[in-house]
């Protein structure tokens, strides 16, 4: 078993819950595996959502999802549940490209939509990665980049 361990912390975190659609947008309280895979993919230079169109064909996986498909991830929060701070950000989406619920589909381009987002403040996690089943090329690259504080962002 080959394990990597690193700390992830910041002033705020926002991992949008996918079961919401509309004006109030809530965040998971813990970083998701998909976010970690995307972050690791960006660190070692794998293609992600910004490289998705137009060359992506139906059913094709994002590169970081394909590479990290067998990656096992453990997340340990480093804050007490009762010490968790939820902050709210209010912003206006005037582009109308956000996820809109059926109640507000009558809005037109240029209309302003006030969105209330829930953010988690003062976050800290310890991330454990089991890289045993990764292709050796990616396992070595990930280990090297994390150990030396290196990153490639596409």
């Amino acid at each position: 078993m080959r394990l990597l361990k690193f700390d992830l912390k910041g002033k705020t975190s926002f991992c949008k819950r996918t079961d919401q659609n509309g004006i109030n947008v809530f965040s998971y309280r813990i970083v998701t595996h998909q976010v970690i895979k995307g972050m690791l993919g960006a660190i070692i230079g794998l293609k992600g959502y910004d490289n998705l169109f137009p060359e992506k064909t139906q059913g094709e996986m994002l590169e970081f999802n394909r590479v990290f498909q067998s990656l096992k991830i453990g997340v340990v929060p480093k804050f007490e549940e009762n010490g968790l701070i939820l902050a709210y950000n209010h912003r206006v989406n005037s582009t109308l490209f956000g996820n809109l619920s059926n109640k507000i589909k009558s809005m037109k381009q240029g209309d302003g939509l006030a969105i209330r987002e829930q953010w988690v403040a003062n976050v800290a996690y310890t991330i454990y990665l089991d890289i045993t089943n990764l292709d050796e090329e990616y396992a070595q690259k990930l280990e090297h980049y994390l150990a030396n504080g290196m990153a490639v962002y596409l």
Side-chain angles (χ1 to χ4, degrees):
M1 181 180 292
R2 289 174 59 192
L3 294 177
L4 298 178
K5 172 189 163 187
F6 64 93
D7 290 328
L8 179 64
K9 59 184 176 179
K11 291 183 180 181
T12 59
S13 171
F14 178 72
C15 298
K16 182 181 177 186
R17 291 180 52 153
T18 57
D19 58 346
Q20 273 134 76
N21 198 13
I23 295 172
N24 291 311
V25 183
F26 296 98
S27 174
Y28 288 110
R29 289 183 164 100
I30 193 163
V31 65
T32 64
H33 287 195
Q34 185 67 9
V35 168
I36 294 169
K37 288 177 182 180
M39 180 185 63
L40 295 173
I43 288 172
I44 65 170
L46 301 177
K47 291 182 180 177
Y49 291 102
D50 59 336
N51 306 101
L52 187 61
F53 298 105
E55 65 274 353
K56 184 177 183 296
T57 59
Q58 189 72 10
E60 186 182 340
M61 294 177 78
L62 296 168
E63 186 178 19
F64 69 83
N65 273 337
R66 181 183 50 78
V67 169
F68 296 129
Q69 192 170 13
S70 64
L71 181 67
K72 294 180 183 175
I73 302 171
V75 179
V76 178
K78 295 177 84 173
F79 51 85
E80 299 290 327
E81 183 67 29
N82 60 1
L84 186 67
I85 300 170
L86 299 177
Y88 292 91
N89 179 38
H90 297 273
R91 65 180 175 89
V92 175
N93 175 13
S94 60
T95 62
L96 202 64
F97 291 124
N99 294 335
L100 302 178
S101 69
N102 292 333
K103 298 175 191 172
I104 49 181
K105 286 216 187 257
S106 62
M107 293 182 69
K108 294 178 178 60
Q109 183 76 24
D111 289 351
L113 172 64
I115 298 175
R116 184 176 187 231
E117 296 174 326
Q118 178 190 63
W119 291 65
V120 183
N122 301 320
V123 295
Y125 309 101
T126 298
I127 311 294
Y128 295 91
L129 306 173
D130 181 356
I131 61 171
T132 307
N133 295 325
L134 286 183
D135 287 344
E136 191 58 32
E137 170 193 356
Y138 296 114
Q140 286 182 357
K141 191 171 185 179
L142 187 60
E143 190 170 12
H144 176 71
Y145 276 48
L146 288 175
N148 294 299
M150 298 168 58
V152 174
Y153 297 99
L154 298 178

